[in-house]
Amino acid sequence: MPKATKQKRNGAAHNSSSPYNTTTKATRSSNPIFKMNTDLGQHVLKNPGVAQAIVDKADLKQSDIVLEVGPGSGNLTVKILEKARRVIAVELDPRMAAEVTKRVQGKPEAKRLEVLLGDVIKTELPYFDVCISNTPYQISSPLTFKLLSLPRPPRLSILTFQSEFASRLVAPPSSPLYSRLSVNAQMYAHVTYIMKIGRNNFKPPPQVDSSVVKIVPKVPRPRISFEEWDAMLRVCFGRKNRTLRAGWLGTRKVLEWVEGCWRGWCAMNDIPVDEGQNGMDVEPLNGSEKEEEEWDGIMDVDHDDGARQENDDDDDDDDDDELPGFFKQERDARKANGTSGKRKRKGKIFELVREKVRKVLEDDTDLADRRARTLDQNDFLRLLLCFNNEGIHFA
């Protein structure tokens, strides 16, 4: 005869309605005491094999001082301590700083770990040889250029980024992801793609995959002003699929900015500026040239340019469709009133600067009909040199 089933005290054995018998996915995975702050980019690398591969790619020496940005719970930190002389970990979250400190507490490695609490972008960093970082996505670009702009940049950096950001860093000219970021990074460093890391290797998993890149600063560092270099690239890549002629000569605000740069250079070098007929209508330099249209916030597309490449059909051809209805109404109203076709010229100085820009693009560099995404570093350096020779220094 089968033995009768006894109900345990308080009836918890077979009471399926009891909340103590139900272990949900949320209660298994959540930790109410220590919850990751994804707003700060906290995605801890949990795969020890991937962590070891990252450290191996750094080729660490026993005498190296390593900077780690965002150590998290210390999974990467303990592997760096096995090979490096000392680790400087910069952590924004005090909870994480305590966690990584606890990881080596009572061990010999504790004497070789220094934890700095604060924002790495705002922190004055001590000297270090190598940087290894599971970088929070929000500071990818600021961290990259802070490392490259240090008075004594690291020998190399092994940085984990969002996959798209990493692809943009290493993108060559004419590729879809080639951008101002690509040109700036490759001007000051040799950037190499290392490997891809799936999102499930992190806890909690981010919404996108990650990639690891190796950044080795160029020695000696290129002797050009980063501010001036980047200011020029901002205009060139304002719409990277547009010709340089449209980007520089087709926008009144750009020409006014260039005029201001030229005036500043003249003032610094005690060169007198003849204002001429400022505010009066001035004839164009070329009699056959059409009157420049007032810029309404959208540049016209160069439909006459037959040098479009195959991957250029997703940026510029649909500008009119992307224009909000309000701006379309304003544009149509100006055309109806006859005020869209002409505008008052800025005067002799404006035309002088405009001619300088035209000369640089058409005569000196022959890049007027080229698009920024097809130019390499030598093309941009040549462009900057010719602008400087005309007395135009960007700021």
Side-chain angles (χ1 to χ4, degrees), residues 209-272:
D209 293 332
S210 301
S211 296
V212 182
V213 298
K214 180 179 181 180
I215 300 178
V216 181
K218 292 182 178 180
V219 180
R221 179 182 296 170
R223 302 186 66 178
I224 60 174
S225 169
F226 175 79
E227 289 75 15
E228 182 176 12
W229 170 258
D230 185 61
M232 184 191 72
L233 292 182
R234 283 180 183 272
V235 178
C236 294
F237 282 95
R239 294 299 295 270
K240 66 178 182 179
N241 291 322
R242 203 174 296 282
T243 62
L244 295 187
R245 177 186 285 109
W248 288 91
L249 297 175
T251 307
R252 185 178 65 184
K253 289 187 178 297
V254 170
L255 288 172
E256 290 175 350
W257 171 70
V258 176
E259 179 185 356
C261 294
W262 183 76
R263 286 177 179 273
W265 178 81
C266 291
M268 293 178 62
N269 292 272
D270 297 327
I271 298 178

Side-chain angles (χ1 to χ4, degrees), residues 17-315:
S17 63
S18 173
Y20 300 102
N21 289 339
T22 306
T23 304
T24 63
K25 182 177 180 181
T27 58
R28 288 196 305 266
S29 60
S30 63
N31 187 341
I33 299 176
F34 196 97
K35 185 178 180 180
M36 298 295 179
N37 188 350
T38 54
D39 292 337
L40 297 178
Q42 289 181 351
H43 300 279
V44 176
L45 181 62
K46 65 180 183 179
N47 190 328
V50 174
Q52 187 62 54
I54 292 175
V55 176
D56 292 342
K57 292 297 182 180
D59 296 326
L60 295 177
K61 304 175 183 177
Q62 293 183 350
S63 60
D64 281 339
I65 300 175
V66 179
L67 174 73
E68 184 184 7
V69 180
S73 59
N75 294 340
L76 195 59
T77 310
V78 294
K79 295 188 177 296
I80 300 174
L81 286 169
E82 295 175 358
K83 294 190 174 184
R85 176 164 66 97
R86 192 160 65 95
V87 173
I88 302 171
V90 183
E91 177 58 60
L92 182 61
D93 191 342
R95 304 173 306 160
M96 286 293 189
E99 189 71 17
V100 71
T101 303
K102 189 190 305 181
R103 188 74 178 267
V104 296
Q105 189 174 11
K107 299 180 181 179
E109 292 86 351
K111 297 181 179 179
R112 298 188 287 116
L113 174 63
E114 178 184 359
V115 179
L116 302 179
L117 187 62
D119 186 350
V120 67
I121 305 301
K122 301 177 182 178
T123 301
E124 185 175 351
L125 300 175
Y127 171 79
F128 58 95
D129 301 292
V130 177
C131 178
I132 300 177
S133 170
N134 177 24
T135 311
Y137 293 160
Q138 296 91 330
I139 63 169
S140 296
S141 182
L143 177 62
T144 300
F145 290 103
K146 175 168 184 172
L147 294 174
L148 292 176
S149 63
L150 290 173
R152 298 178 64 183
R155 183 176 73 247
L156 61 89
S157 299
I158 304 294
L159 306 178
T160 303
F161 294 127
Q162 182 180 349
S163 285
E164 182 180 354
F165 183 87
S167 299
R168 289 170 58 197
L169 281 177
V170 301
S174 299
S175 68
L177 294 177
Y178 188 65
S179 63
R180 181 170 61 94
L181 174 67
S182 314
V183 181
N184 277 332
Q186 296 170 27
M187 168 56 64
Y188 291 92
H190 302 284
V191 188
T192 309
Y193 188 94
I194 300 296
M195 62 181 178
K196 183 178 180 180
I197 305 177
R199 66 193 72 181
N200 292 328
N201 292 287
F202 298 90
K203 181 181 180 181
Q207 297 183 359
V208 295
D209 293 332
S210 301
S211 296
V212 182
V213 298
K214 180 179 181 180
I215 300 178
V216 181
K218 292 182 178 180
V219 180
R221 179 182 296 170
R223 302 186 66 178
I224 60 174
S225 169
F226 175 79
E227 289 75 15
E228 182 176 12
W229 170 258
D230 185 61
M232 184 191 72
L233 292 182
R234 283 180 183 272
V235 178
C236 294
F237 282 95
R239 294 299 295 270
K240 66 178 182 179
N241 291 322
R242 203 174 296 282
T243 62
L244 295 187
R245 177 186 285 109
W248 288 91
L249 297 175
T251 307
R252 185 178 65 184
K253 289 187 178 297
V254 170
L255 288 172
E256 290 175 350
W257 171 70
V258 176
E259 179 185 356
C261 294
W262 183 76
R263 286 177 179 273
W265 178 81
C266 291
M268 293 178 62
N269 292 272
D270 297 327
I271 298 178
V273 175
D274 184 8
E275 296 293 341
Q277 302 175 358
N278 195 22
M280 302 295 292
D281 289 334
V282 178
E283 293 296 327
L285 294 173
N286 186 348
S288 62
E289 184 180 356
K290 292 183 179 180
E291 185 86 13
E292 183 183 354
E293 295 184 357
E294 182 178 2
W295 186 53
D296 57 2
I298 298 293
M299 298 183 193
D300 292 334
V301 181
D302 298 329
H303 293 291
D304 296 334
D305 189 352
R308 281 192 174 276
Q309 299 193 10
E310 294 180 358
N311 59 349
D312 188 29
D313 57 357
D314 59 344
D315 274 348

